[in-house]
Amino acid sequence: MKGNKIYIIGNWKSNKNRQDVENWFTQLVSENVLDNKLPNKEVVVCPSFIHLELAKWLIEKNKLSLKLGAQDVSPFSTGAYTGEVSASMLKNYAEYTLIGHSERRKYFKEDDDMLSQKVQMAKDEGLKVIYCVPDDTTIVPNGVDIVAYEPIWAIGTGKTDSPQNANALIGHLKQKYPSCVYIYGGSVTADNIVSFVSQDYIDGVLPGGASLDPIKFSKMISAINSL
Ligand code: PGA
């Protein structure tokens, strides 16, 4: 069974400078897709840490029904951890945080223990956790709110898993972790978003590349608005 909300969570990864962020918001506002506060959708964007404050300001200024997420969080609390951004810092700006994206696992060697610690830190500070898994055998720590199934071969390749297969795999995960909400990520676009969210167990999507372009992002929101 599904929840009553559809999630669109845009992951900008390590893209956009300050001007790009401002331009993205200007264009998004002119597309006018976020003016109605329909209770059936939750639209989130995850900029880099240093653009969270600017994004928050632009959201408030333009009265957008758009939430913010961080792309990562420190496994430690505040203190002598050079370079880290703690959950207590993030909670002033973001409602959500991604944890365990396959790029973090691959390039930064983040393992299950470290990722559990990150989830713990995020939950202690009241952040909602979007936990990414590449398959249905990966352990999902306690406290995770949203699980994003993202097959590695589908990320940034233009090839998606089939909606039916994604739904079946998420069905297995849901048996193990019934309290989580489930979304799909990997080459999601405005053209395929509906085929995913119309599956029984899929409550939303995590687009990367398609979220960078405000027109493409708006088209995904419009596709959901018209459901
Ligand atoms: P993609 O990225 O939409 O560009 O495939 C998805 C992700 O990595 O979250």
Side-chain angles (χ1 to χ4, degrees), residues 9 14 16 28 54 56 66 93-94 101 104 107 114 123 133 143 146 151-152 158 160 168 174 176 184 186 220 223:
I9 302 174
S14 191
K16 297 194 186 296
L28 184 79
L54 172 64
K56 184 172 191 276
L66 177 65
Y93 304 100
H101 191 280
R104 302 290 321 168
Y107 297 119
M114 176 184 278
K123 294 316 294 176
V133 300
I146 299 177
I152 290 168
T160 66
K174 211 172 169 72
K176 285 193 266 183
Y184 167 79
M220 286 189 274

Side-chain angles (χ1 to χ4, degrees), residues 9-84:
I9 302 174
N11 174 12
W12 285 354
K13 309 189 178 182
S14 191
N15 290 292
K16 297 194 186 296
N17 61 26
R18 187 183 173 91
Q19 187 62 54
D20 297 332
V21 175
E22 287 178 4
N23 294 347
W24 189 90
F25 273 93
T26 304
Q27 273 192 284
L28 184 79
V29 169
S30 69
E31 290 298 307
N32 211 20
V33 287
L34 280 174
D35 52 344
N36 51 355
K37 293 193 168 112
L38 292 176
N40 69 339
K41 67 172 189 299
E42 180 94 333
V43 185
V44 182
V45 68
C46 305
S48 72
F49 290 139
I50 60 163
H51 294 130
L52 282 168
E53 184 165 17
L54 172 64
K56 184 172 191 276
W57 181 74
L58 289 167
I59 287 169
E60 284 167 5
K61 183 178 145 210
N62 293 294
K63 299 188 174 49
L64 296 172
S65 25
L66 177 65
K67 306 272 175 68
L68 283 174
Q71 296 176 16
D72 188 25
V73 63
S74 175
F76 302 104
S77 64
T78 302
Y81 304 103
T82 302
E84 287 298 287

Side-chain angles (χ1 to χ4, degrees), residues 110-177:
E110 296 187 357
D111 61 13
D112 287 348
D113 285 347
M114 176 184 278
L115 295 173
S116 292
Q117 236 177 297
K118 291 187 175 205
V119 172
Q120 190 60 55
M121 287 296 148
K123 294 316 294 176
D124 285 353
E125 295 295 340
L127 291 167
K128 292 178 190 154
V129 172
I130 306 152
Y131 197 78
C132 304
V133 300
D135 53 41
D136 57 358
T137 60
T138 304
I139 292 163
V140 175
N142 283 337
V144 166
D145 300 279
I146 299 177
V147 175
Y149 161 54
E150 298 205 300
I152 290 168
W153 54 265
I155 295 176
T157 59
K159 292 185 203 130
T160 66
D161 201 347
S162 72
Q164 296 72 17
N165 193 55
N167 188 57
L169 191 139
I170 285 173
H172 294 151
L173 283 164
K174 211 172 169 72
Q175 279 174 359
K176 285 193 266 183
Y177 310 105

